[in-house]
Structures are given as structure tokens and as C-alpha cells.
Amino acid sequence: MTTQPIFAFVDLDDSLLQTREKCRQEPLVEAAYDRAGAPLSFHTPAQLALLDLLRGVTLIPVTGRNLRALRQVRSPRFASYRITSHGALVLGPDEDLLPSWRVLLDAQAARWAGPLAEAAALAEEFIAAERLALRSRVIEDLGVPVYVSIKGPPVELAFLAERIAPHWSTGVVHSNDKNLALLPPFADKAAAVRHLMAEIERTLEVEPVYIGIGDSLTDLPFLRLCHFALVPQHSQIQAHAWAVPGGLAEAGKLGDLG
Ligand SMILES: [Mg+2]
């Protein structure tokens, strides 16, 4: 019997690494750095054990980071394809855009450059008018404007998200903790993963097995495409999708039943 190759599509931040204050275990191992080279994100022992288990599996990042920020991640290492900027870019192992993706991207990126700049300006207006402690900017990846990133305290982000969402109805509003992102339709993790799955299957003679790893609600569409999905504890998905009505007391009662 031929062994089926296994590919894992992995979100990075808050799935396989996170900032120090979010780590619930010690000791920590450095995973990613800031531009000055200072450690910014870490693996917990559980994440390291999981990465150890995944040795022999081809890891493909599916991240909100742009390529520059992905290069600041030193662990895990990636030797195959990579998906950056919430799915806007699909890159080969050489970090160049896949030619098949470039065709799709070129038309979309030209159409969305204007609306992204306008959305960022609108966010700035709200921030100034409400005196919010937030920072908004258009993120570029390989020179392509890919999404609007707004960062700051979660409560203020939630307030802004509510006001800006009606103005961004053609795209997706990604909101998790200290990050808010206005994603154009071409920044779509599931579409990028689907594209790569087709690319992978073209080159293989046996059917591959896919594992997805992600923590955010916006990861769900790409996790659904995989044979198995891994969701970290205390993640946004667990908090929303697996929440028990009535909280822990109710969970205890359910436990008594069976
Ligand atoms: Mg994440």
C-alpha cells in the first residue's frame, strides 16, 4: 500500500505561537521576532510537542502575516508552499507568487486598491472623532495592498468594528483580540487553501491527507476543507462554537447525565 502524504495547513499566531502574555505554560521557547530581532512570540511546551508529532508532515502556513512578517517566524520552518495576508497571496517554496495565483490576484488587487485606501481613511476618521487608541493602516504584501489592519485594545476595536462593518459589507471583517482586519474578497484563506489543494493533487499519484490548524472564527472555512481540524484550547473558535449554554455549571450537569 502506498503511504498517503500528509499536509497540514497551519494558522500561526494564537495557534502554534503567541505573545508572552498569552502563554499559559512554561518554559517558553522563542518562535518569532520583531524587526529589531527581539523575541516577540513563543511556543508553549504543548505546542512544541504538537510540532514534534507533526514531523514528517508538510507544514503550509495559512497566516494573516505578510511575507515580511512570516520571515520573522523562525519556528516552525516551512519548506513548501505558503499562504500569507489572510489568503491574499499564495506562494511557492521559493517565496514567489504561484503563477496560477498571480493571474487571479492581478485583476482583484487592481480593483481593490482604492476601496482599501478609502476604508483605512474612514477608520482613521472614526478613530480621530471618537479619540480611540487605535492604529489603522493598509498592509502590503509583495507590493500589493492586501487588507486594512487596525490594532489596539479589544474593547475599542469592538466599538470600531461595529461602526465600520456596514461600510465594508462586500468584504469580511476579521476581529480577534487586539486585531481587526478589513479583508477584501480576494484575501480568503479557504479560497487559497482550495487552490493549493488542487495544485498539490495535480503533482501526486495518491490522495493526500489534509490537517487544518486554526484558532479564529475566520479560520473555520479553511478548516472545513481538511480531513481533520485541530483547534487550540481557549481559542476564539472554542469560545464561540463549543461554548456550553449556561457556562460551566451547565457543563457539569451535562457531565452527570452521561
Ligand atoms: Mg490565529
Side-chain angles (χ1 to χ4, degrees):
M1 202 181 91
T2 320
T3 313
Q4 290 174 279
I6 307 177
F7 294 82
F9 290 97
V10 298
D11 171 60
L12 299 177
D13 294 87
D14 299 334
S15 290
L16 292 178
L17 48 99
Q18 58 281 308
T19 52
R20 186 185 292 274
E21 73 267 16
K22 289 185 187 170
C23 292
R24 292 166 183 258
Q25 273 187 320
E26 300 262 354
L28 304 179
V29 170
E30 294 175 8
Y33 299 80
D34 65 15
R35 284 196 217 197
L40 201 60
S41 300
F42 301 82
H43 295 306
T44 61
Q47 287 166 330
L48 278 180
L50 176 63
L51 287 171
D52 199 41
L53 183 73
L54 291 172
R55 263 195 283 177
V57 170
T58 303
L59 298 185
I60 299 175
V62 185
T63 178
R65 290 171 179 253
N66 63 8
L67 182 58
R68 183 195 56 70
L70 177 60
R71 287 180 181 144
Q72 314 277 25
V73 176
R74 310 276 168 75
S75 171
R77 306 297 288 187
F78 303 105
S80 181
Y81 302 103
R82 42 210 83 185
I83 292 170
T84 59
S85 296
H86 294 283
L89 264 55
V90 180
L91 309 161
D94 55 2
E95 297 190 336
D96 265 347
L97 271 177
L98 280 194
S100 55
W101 189 256
R102 185 187 294 274
V103 176
L104 303 171
L105 179 68
D106 279 352
Q108 290 287 321
R111 164 161 157 33
W112 282 92
L116 283 170
E118 286 162 23
L122 185 64
E124 282 299 337
E125 272 175 43
F126 279 123
I127 290 167
E130 302 287 344
R131 299 180 183 210
L132 303 172
L134 302 174
R135 311 176 300 284
S136 151
R137 66 195 176 107
V138 175
I139 300 294
E140 294 200 353
D141 205 353
L142 290 181
V144 178
V146 280
Y147 66 91
V148 178
S149 161
I150 306 156
K151 288 180 186 282
V155 174
E156 299 198 2
L157 279 180
F159 177 83
L160 180 69
E162 220 168 85
R163 268 144 201 84
I164 209 153
H167 302 274
W168 194 250
S169 53
T170 42
V172 167
V173 178
H174 162 84
S175 173
N176 193 352
D177 198 34
K178 293 176 187 164
N179 288 296
L180 180 68
L182 306 179
L183 307 177
F186 69 90
D188 178 340
K189 284 184 170 183
V193 166
R194 204 179 289 114
H195 187 88
L196 264 192
M197 285 176 168
E199 187 89 11
I200 288 165
E201 285 159 31
R202 244 197 307 279
T203 62
L204 291 176
E205 289 181 0
V206 287
E207 203 184 323
V209 175
Y210 299 118
I211 298 171
I213 302 179
D215 70 294
S216 290
L217 291 172
T218 47
D219 291 326
L220 282 171
F222 96 79
L223 296 179
R224 278 193 199 102
L225 299 174
C226 300
H227 295 100
F228 301 95
L230 256 164
V231 175
Q233 199 175 25
H234 308 297
S235 57
Q236 190 183 35
I237 292 175
Q238 282 214 10
H240 282 72
W242 296 359
V244 177
L248 283 176
E250 205 59 36
K253 277 187 229 154
L254 290 173
D256 291 344
L257 290 174

